[in-house]
């Protein structure tokens, strides 16, 4: 009797193999040959399930984003306003090994996205979702009086996201200079500027 192949499971194995290589050795090391070897398959198997290397890369990026969203659901449960915003932004900072790896994967995709329209579109879609969430939480915090600023909240959202991106890159490049406690403190200082005087 012929062996029954679970196609979705096999695709996931290839995606996870790509993700492991990217996290371990960087995006440039994730060649189709290396991915096939890591997954324990031939190159032919990869071409059967994916259109090209960018298709694999895109699937790996989406897989990483799904993991982050699942983790965030638990962290944000029951939180609103500024507390939810703080938790969301902290989760996007590389404060532990898992998030250092995720940040490394994300940053690794930035340069590749510049030459891949599909990856760039996926990156922008994910960034738009994060920006929407940050802006929504800022709006609800302002409505509750937790945030008081004369600045446009769209600008505040952009600044907070830029701070998270910048701190993440600096943490990856200079881990001895920017530890988790310092990253969290710098984010809290920025959020503190939005609170009402005396809060």
């Amino acid at each position: 009797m012929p062996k029954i192949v679970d196609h979705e499971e096999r695709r996931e194995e290839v995606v996870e193999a790509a993700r492991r290589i990217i996290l371990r050795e960087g995006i440039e090391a994730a060649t189709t040959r290396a991915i096939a070897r890591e997954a324990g398959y031939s190159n032919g198997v990869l071409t059967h399930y994916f259109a090209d290397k960018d298709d694999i890369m895109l699937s790996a990026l989406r897989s990483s984003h799904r993991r982050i969203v699942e983790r965030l659901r638990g962290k944000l449960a029951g939180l609103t306003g500024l507390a939810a915003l703080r938790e969301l932004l902290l989760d996007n900072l590389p404060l532990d090994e898992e998030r250092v790896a995720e940040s490394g994967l994300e940053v690794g995709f930035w340069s590749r996205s510049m030459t891949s329209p599909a990856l760039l579109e996926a990156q922008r879609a994910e960034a738009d979702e994060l920006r929407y969430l940050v802006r929504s939480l800022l709006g609800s915090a302002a409505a509750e009086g937790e945030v008081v600023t004369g600045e446009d909240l769209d600008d505040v959202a952009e600044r907070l996201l830029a701070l998270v991106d910048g701190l993440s890159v600096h943490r990856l490049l200079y881990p001895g200079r920017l530890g988790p406690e310092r990253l969290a403190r710098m984010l809290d200082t920025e959020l503190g500027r939005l609170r009402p005087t005396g809060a």
Side-chain angles (χ1 to χ4, degrees):
M1 186 172 179
K3 184 179 177 184
I4 298 172
V5 176
D6 185 329
H7 296 288
E8 195 53 45
E9 183 179 324
R10 187 165 281 187
R11 268 185 64 90
E12 272 306 306
E13 287 171 0
V14 172
V15 167
E16 282 308 302
R19 186 174 182 275
R20 286 194 302 273
I21 292 171
I22 295 167
L23 293 178
R24 190 174 65 233
E25 303 170 47
I27 197 165
E28 296 308 317
T31 63
T32 51
R33 186 182 304 274
I35 294 167
R37 187 170 53 246
E38 178 83 14
Y41 296 125
S42 68
N43 270 20
V45 169
L46 269 62
T47 58
H48 181 72
Y49 291 102
F50 298 92
D52 53 24
K53 181 180 172 180
D54 272 0
D55 190 18
I56 300 172
M57 296 292 102
L58 183 56
S59 297
L61 182 64
R62 286 180 172 149
S63 173
S64 182
H65 287 163
R66 276 195 308 273
R67 289 169 185 256
I68 293 167
V69 168
E70 286 167 15
R71 184 178 66 229
L72 267 172
R73 274 199 192 102
K75 288 186 172 184
L76 296 181
L79 296 180
T80 59
L82 203 54
L85 176 62
R86 179 180 185 272
E87 197 60 50
L88 171 67
L89 295 173
L90 281 174
D91 192 74
N92 278 270
L93 286 171
L95 301 179
D96 54 31
E97 284 186 29
E98 180 182 14
R99 286 176 284 175
V100 165
E102 288 169 352
S103 295
L105 183 143
E106 194 74 26
V107 169
F109 272 101
W110 288 353
S111 61
R112 188 162 180 87
S113 293
M114 294 297 101
T115 58
S116 168
L119 282 175
L120 184 59
E121 184 181 337
Q123 286 273 20
R124 286 177 172 168
E126 296 289 343
D128 284 347
E129 285 184 24
L130 178 59
R131 187 194 173 284
Y132 174 80
L133 189 51
V134 167
R135 177 60 181 82
S136 297
L137 291 172
L138 266 173
S140 64
E144 294 297 320
E146 296 179 301
V147 164
V148 176
T149 178
E151 192 177 0
D152 185 283
L153 290 182
D154 287 334
D155 292 348
V156 174
E158 291 295 345
R159 189 174 71 247
L160 289 172
L161 289 166
L163 176 66
V164 167
D165 284 346
L167 289 176
S168 296
V169 171
H170 277 233
R171 169 80 168 129
L172 294 176
L173 292 174
Y174 319 112
R177 195 172 84 198
L178 278 173
E181 297 81 11
R182 190 173 180 199
L183 290 184
R185 186 175 74 245
M186 291 171 77
L187 177 64
D188 282 336
T189 298
E190 188 63 29
L191 290 175
R193 292 188 177 109
L194 301 172
R195 295 178 186 275
T197 306

